[in-house]
Amino acid sequence: MRGPGRPRSDQARDAILDAAFQLLEENGLERFTIEGVAARSGTAKTTIYRWWPGKGALAMEALLAHAELTVPIPHTASAVSDLRTVLDGIARSFAGATGRVVASIVLAGQNDPPTLKVYHEKVVEPRRQRLRDIIERGKRNGEFRPDLHVETLVEAMYGALYTRLLIRFSPLDEPGWMDRHINQLLEGALPRPLCGQGAK
C-alpha cells in the first residue's frame, strides 16, 4: 500500500508545470511544445492533453503557477502609497524571468489570439482591477480628483511597464524610474486647488 503523501496525479501535474515554465524561460512561447514538456517532465503527451487542450493553456497555467505575478495588494491609509507599492512590485517581477516569459507570450500571442485572450483574462485584467480599486478608493478619500478617469490612469500606468518590457529601450529595474513615472502621472490626478487658494 502507498504511504501518506500527495497523489501521483498531483505530482505529475507539478512536474509538468515545472517543466513547462522552464521551457518557457529558455525558449519562449513560439518554440514551446507539448512534446518538449513531455520529455522534460517524463510524462506522456496523452496525460498532458488530458489536462490541457493545447500549449497556450498549459503555458498560461505554468506562468500563473510559477511566475512572480502575485504582488501583495496593500490597503493603507494612502492610495498613492499603495499604487507605488503595487507598480514597484510589478516592475520588479517583469525585470526577471517572469518578464521574459510574459514578453514571449505577448509577442507570440499576436499570431495566437486564443492564447492572448487567456493571458488578458487570467493575468492582465485581474491586475488592472486591483489598480482600479486602489484609484477608486483614492477618489473616495479625497486623494484624487473626483472627476478622474480611472481607466485612462490605469492605461498610462501599465503602458510604461509593457513598453519597457517589450521594447527594452530602458531596463525595468532602472533606479528611480517608477517613482518618476508615478509622480508625473499623479500630477494630473491630484485634486485641483480651489480658486484663489494660496493667494495673498
Side-chain angles (χ1 to χ4, degrees):
M1 296 179 60
R2 293 178 59 202
R6 301 187 66 204
R8 285 178 181 166
S9 60
D10 287 349
Q11 294 173 358
R13 192 179 188 91
D14 286 350
I16 292 167
L17 292 173
D18 287 345
F21 189 70
Q22 291 168 11
L23 290 169
L24 284 168
E25 278 191 86
E26 295 168 11
N27 304 316
L29 184 62
E30 288 189 342
R31 297 170 58 192
F32 179 80
T33 65
I34 297 296
E35 291 78 7
V37 175
R40 177 73 63 93
S41 65
T43 308
K45 285 194 299 181
T46 53
T47 300
I48 296 175
Y49 279 116
R50 188 164 65 246
W51 289 330
W52 294 278
K55 77 171 192 177
L58 174 55
M60 208 59 55
E61 187 163 343
L63 174 66
L64 291 169
H66 290 81
E68 297 174 5
L69 288 170
T70 305
V71 177
I73 305 303
H75 197 293
T76 69
S78 170
V80 171
S81 175
D82 292 348
L83 282 176
R84 291 184 190 279
T85 298
V86 171
L87 290 168
D88 279 342
I90 295 171
R92 284 195 302 272
S93 72
F94 275 9
T98 295
R100 292 192 295 274
V101 173
V102 166
S104 76
I105 289 174
V106 172
L107 293 173
Q110 305 310 304
N111 297 314
D112 185 357
T115 295
L116 197 60
K117 182 174 184 290
V118 174
Y119 175 74
H120 181 269
E121 292 173 350
K122 299 291 187 181
V123 177
V124 176
E125 184 54 30
R127 286 151 186 81
R128 287 170 63 98
Q129 186 57 50
R130 291 170 184 171
L131 290 185
R132 293 186 194 106
D133 292 343
I134 295 172
I135 295 167
E136 290 288 2
R137 175 158 50 87
K139 290 174 66 174
R140 290 193 300 271
N141 67 23
E143 286 184 83
F144 299 140
R145 289 171 19 216
D147 63 340
L148 177 66
H149 194 275
V150 174
E151 203 62 29
T152 299
L153 184 56
V154 171
E155 290 277 356
M157 288 178 167
Y158 257 103
L161 288 165
Y162 276 93
T163 297
R164 289 197 175 215
L165 175 67
L166 299 174
I167 301 177
R168 299 181 181 276
F169 65 89
S170 294
L172 281 152
D173 54 0
E174 176 189 338
W177 87 271
M178 181 53 74
D179 277 340
R180 295 193 301 273
H181 175 57
I182 294 174
N183 289 341
Q184 191 70 37
L185 290 175
L186 292 185
E187 281 189 15
L190 301 177
R192 298 186 180 99
L194 298 175
C195 292
Q197 183 175 341
K200 302 294 184 183

PDB file of all heavy atoms in Angstrom, residues 55 59 68 87 100 130 138 155 190 199:
ATOM      1  N   LYS A  55      -1.020  23.994 -26.109  1.00  0.00           N
ATOM      2  CA  LYS A  55       0.165  24.577 -25.479  1.00  0.00           C
ATOM      3  C   LYS A  55      -0.123  25.942 -24.868  1.00  0.00           C
ATOM      4  O   LYS A  55       0.503  26.323 -23.873  1.00  0.00           O
ATOM      5  CB  LYS A  55       1.307  24.659 -26.488  1.00  0.00           C
ATOM      6  CG  LYS A  55       1.223  25.789 -27.508  1.00  0.00           C
ATOM      7  CD  LYS A  55       2.517  25.892 -28.295  1.00  0.00           C
ATOM      8  CE  LYS A  55       2.579  27.175 -29.114  1.00  0.00           C
ATOM      9  NZ  LYS A  55       3.870  27.318 -29.821  1.00  0.00           N
ATOM     10  N   ALA A  59       0.855  26.780 -21.123  1.00  0.00           N
ATOM     11  CA  ALA A  59       1.798  27.868 -20.874  1.00  0.00           C
ATOM     12  C   ALA A  59       1.224  28.870 -19.879  1.00  0.00           C
ATOM     13  O   ALA A  59       1.921  29.347 -18.978  1.00  0.00           O
ATOM     14  CB  ALA A  59       2.152  28.575 -22.186  1.00  0.00           C
ATOM     15  N   GLU A  68       6.466  35.180 -10.719  1.00  0.00           N
ATOM     16  CA  GLU A  68       6.297  36.093  -9.598  1.00  0.00           C
ATOM     17  C   GLU A  68       5.275  37.162  -9.973  1.00  0.00           C
ATOM     18  O   GLU A  68       5.589  38.333 -10.135  1.00  0.00           O
ATOM     19  CB  GLU A  68       7.634  36.737  -9.237  1.00  0.00           C
ATOM     20  CG  GLU A  68       8.672  35.741  -8.767  1.00  0.00           C
ATOM     21  CD  GLU A  68      10.026  36.398  -8.567  1.00  0.00           C
ATOM     22  OE1 GLU A  68      10.113  37.630  -8.712  1.00  0.00           O
ATOM     23  OE2 GLU A  68      10.976  35.677  -8.276  1.00  0.00           O
ATOM     24  N   LEU A  87       2.860  48.940  -8.243  1.00  0.00           N
ATOM     25  CA  LEU A  87       3.585  49.128  -9.501  1.00  0.00           C
ATOM     26  C   LEU A  87       5.067  48.789  -9.355  1.00  0.00           C
ATOM     27  O   LEU A  87       5.677  48.239 -10.267  1.00  0.00           O
ATOM     28  CB  LEU A  87       3.403  50.556 -10.003  1.00  0.00           C
ATOM     29  CG  LEU A  87       1.975  50.860 -10.491  1.00  0.00           C
ATOM     30  CD1 LEU A  87       1.791  52.356 -10.702  1.00  0.00           C
ATOM     31  CD2 LEU A  87       1.653  50.110 -11.772  1.00  0.00           C
ATOM     32  N   ARG A 100      10.533  37.773 -18.960  1.00  0.00           N
ATOM     33  CA  ARG A 100      10.901  37.098 -20.213  1.00  0.00           C
ATOM     34  C   ARG A 100       9.771  36.193 -20.691  1.00  0.00           C
ATOM     35  O   ARG A 100       9.480  36.132 -21.889  1.00  0.00           O
ATOM     36  CB  ARG A 100      12.193  36.295 -20.013  1.00  0.00           C
ATOM     37  CG  ARG A 100      13.421  37.166 -19.782  1.00  0.00           C
ATOM     38  CD  ARG A 100      14.704  36.367 -19.883  1.00  0.00           C
ATOM     39  NE  ARG A 100      14.825  35.358 -18.831  1.00  0.00           N
ATOM     40  CZ  ARG A 100      15.318  35.590 -17.628  1.00  0.00           C
ATOM     41  NH1 ARG A 100      15.725  36.815 -17.302  1.00  0.00           N
ATOM     42  NH2 ARG A 100      15.425  34.619 -16.740  1.00  0.00           N
ATOM     43  N   ARG A 130      -7.134  45.506  -9.719  1.00  0.00           N
ATOM     44  CA  ARG A 130      -6.556  45.903  -8.433  1.00  0.00           C
ATOM     45  C   ARG A 130      -6.176  47.379  -8.452  1.00  0.00           C
ATOM     46  O   ARG A 130      -6.374  48.103  -7.465  1.00  0.00           O
ATOM     47  CB  ARG A 130      -5.331  45.046  -8.132  1.00  0.00           C
ATOM     48  CG  ARG A 130      -5.674  43.590  -7.826  1.00  0.00           C
ATOM     49  CD  ARG A 130      -4.437  42.730  -7.776  1.00  0.00           C
ATOM     50  NE  ARG A 130      -4.768  41.328  -7.570  1.00  0.00           N
ATOM     51  CZ  ARG A 130      -3.896  40.341  -7.662  1.00  0.00           C
ATOM     52  NH1 ARG A 130      -2.634  40.598  -7.949  1.00  0.00           N
ATOM     53  NH2 ARG A 130      -4.270  39.092  -7.463  1.00  0.00           N
ATOM     54  N   GLY A 138      -8.879  56.057  -3.654  1.00  0.00           N
ATOM     55  CA  GLY A 138      -8.270  57.377  -3.568  1.00  0.00           C
ATOM     56  C   GLY A 138      -9.246  58.490  -3.921  1.00  0.00           C
ATOM     57  O   GLY A 138      -9.178  59.587  -3.344  1.00  0.00           O
ATOM     58  N   GLU A 155      -4.417  52.720 -17.799  1.00  0.00           N
ATOM     59  CA  GLU A 155      -3.745  52.506 -19.086  1.00  0.00           C
ATOM     60  C   GLU A 155      -2.349  53.127 -19.076  1.00  0.00           C
ATOM     61  O   GLU A 155      -1.367  52.519 -19.529  1.00  0.00           O
ATOM     62  CB  GLU A 155      -4.568  53.128 -20.215  1.00  0.00           C
ATOM     63  CG  GLU A 155      -5.871  52.424 -20.524  1.00  0.00           C
ATOM     64  CD  GLU A 155      -5.686  51.245 -21.448  1.00  0.00           C
ATOM     65  OE1 GLU A 155      -4.556  51.018 -21.911  1.00  0.00           O
ATOM     66  OE2 GLU A 155      -6.685  50.543 -21.693  1.00  0.00           O
ATOM     67  N   LEU A 190      -4.232  64.480  -8.914  1.00  0.00           N
ATOM     68  CA  LEU A 190      -4.461  65.049  -7.593  1.00  0.00           C
ATOM     69  C   LEU A 190      -5.531  66.131  -7.639  1.00  0.00           C
ATOM     70  O   LEU A 190      -5.767  66.749  -8.692  1.00  0.00           O
ATOM     71  CB  LEU A 190      -3.150  65.622  -7.050  1.00  0.00           C
ATOM     72  CG  LEU A 190      -2.009  64.608  -6.913  1.00  0.00           C
ATOM     73  CD1 LEU A 190      -0.744  65.317  -6.424  1.00  0.00           C
ATOM     74  CD2 LEU A 190      -2.393  63.480  -5.976  1.00  0.00           C
ATOM     75  N   ALA A 199      -3.579  82.497  -2.412  1.00  0.00           N
ATOM     76  CA  ALA A 199      -3.325  83.872  -2.806  1.00  0.00           C
ATOM     77  C   ALA A 199      -3.137  84.740  -1.575  1.00  0.00           C
ATOM     78  O   ALA A 199      -3.768  84.527  -0.542  1.00  0.00           O
ATOM     79  CB  ALA A 199      -4.496  84.408  -3.625  1.00  0.00           C
TER      80      ALA A 199
END
